[in-house]
Amino acid sequence: MRLFLISASALMLAACAPAAEAPAATEAAPAEAAATEAAPVAEVAYGKAATYKIDPTHASITWRVNHFGLAKYTARFTTFDATLMFNPADVAANSVEVTIDPASVETDYPGDYKAGHADSPYASWNEDMAKNPQWFNAGAHPQITFKSTSAVQSSPSTGTVTGDLTFLGATRPVTLDVTYNGVAQMPWAPDQDKIGFSARTTLKRSDFGMGAYIPNIADEVEIIIEAEFAEVAG
């Protein structure tokens, strides 16, 4: 995910002197004086220029889709990887590549799947979602990938990242709304930067050839990403 660089400056106000014959102005109250002072824009701390790898222990890729207009069915992927080329001085030099294993879909299905799906060739709802050709069809398409192509900054810590998403054999451009959350060093690795992002997008699954049960199960799918990246040494 691309870095969004800060460009901030403090604003200054100048006071105008009163006219020669005007009565002396009384001293402004503290609250009034404070109101005339422009607050500086807070700086955003960024990590070092380096290659970063996602920390899967502190990351999640969740998706939600409306189910019969009643609620948003929510599931996630548990196996994924991402590499971020990060340079806080050059937005154009930043890039991210992501791979997701669709067979790692986790639905948290609470019931006895086989009791309700006696004729299904799958042992669980997770396996059905992962392998069924009408869903993720992981046997034929074992990876979902995203490769960034551009970024646009909208504030010191927010912007958009656009890239090519390949899913079910189709590649389409997708734009993520991204928030840069900051940089930190863990006590056990004080020389290693960790940087964090939140991202969201909405896509149409039919654009990638998945049309099962539309419109009862909505075409639009929300993707919600939380990710910490760790600096790669050397």
Side-chain angles (χ1 to χ4, degrees):
M1 296 167 192
R2 306 288 181 98
L3 169 69
F4 304 109
L5 298 177
I6 182 168
S7 176
S9 60
L11 301 177
M12 303 296 294
L13 296 180
C16 296
E21 297 181 359
T26 59
E27 184 176 350
E32 294 172 346
T36 66
E37 298 177 3
V41 179
E43 288 194 7
V44 176
Y46 295 115
K48 295 191 290 288
T51 299
Y52 290 75
K53 294 287 289 185
I54 200 165
D55 174 5
T57 305
H58 300 100
S60 62
I61 301 176
T62 305
W63 51 267
R64 308 194 307 180
V65 60
N66 195 289
H67 183 256
F68 281 79
L70 300 175
K72 291 182 178 180
Y73 183 80
T74 303
R76 64 190 186 278
F77 296 108
T78 60
T79 301
F80 47 84
D81 192 21
T83 301
L84 172 66
M85 305 298 292
F86 185 80
N87 184 346
D90 185 0
V91 172
N94 290 273
S95 64
V96 65
E97 294 191 8
V98 182
T99 60
I100 301 168
D101 179 2
S104 72
V105 63
E106 177 54 68
T107 62
D108 297 307
Y109 189 86
D112 184 342
Y113 173 80
K114 292 304 289 184
H117 304 81
D119 297 330
S120 174
Y122 308 109
S124 67
W125 179 231
N126 284 356
E127 185 182 6
D128 191 330
M129 287 289 296
K131 296 181 179 180
N132 194 322
Q134 73 178 357
W135 302 122
F136 292 114
N137 199 10
H141 304 288
Q143 282 191 337
I144 301 168
T145 65
F146 177 83
K147 296 182 179 181
S148 64
T149 56
S150 65
V152 176
Q153 180 182 352
S154 56
S155 83
S157 59
T158 62
T160 58
V161 173
T162 298
D164 293 326
L165 177 67
T166 300
F167 172 46
L168 294 175
T171 300
R172 302 283 185 270
V174 169
T175 297
L176 300 165
D177 293 315
V178 180
T179 299
Y180 174 77
N181 297 323
V183 58
Q185 295 78 36
M186 302 298 105
W188 53 88
D191 297 325
Q192 180 190 56
D193 280 354
K194 291 194 76 177
I195 53 179
F197 298 87
S198 302
R200 288 175 176 261
T201 191
T202 300
L203 56 84
K204 288 188 176 182
R205 59 192 179 99
S206 63
D207 287 345
F208 298 87
M210 183 193 286
Y213 302 107
I214 295 173
N216 292 329
I217 299 175
D219 192 8
E220 290 191 342
V221 181
E222 294 178 76
I223 312 296
I224 304 155
I225 300 164
E226 296 290 335
E228 292 184 17
F229 287 82
E231 176 190 355
V232 176

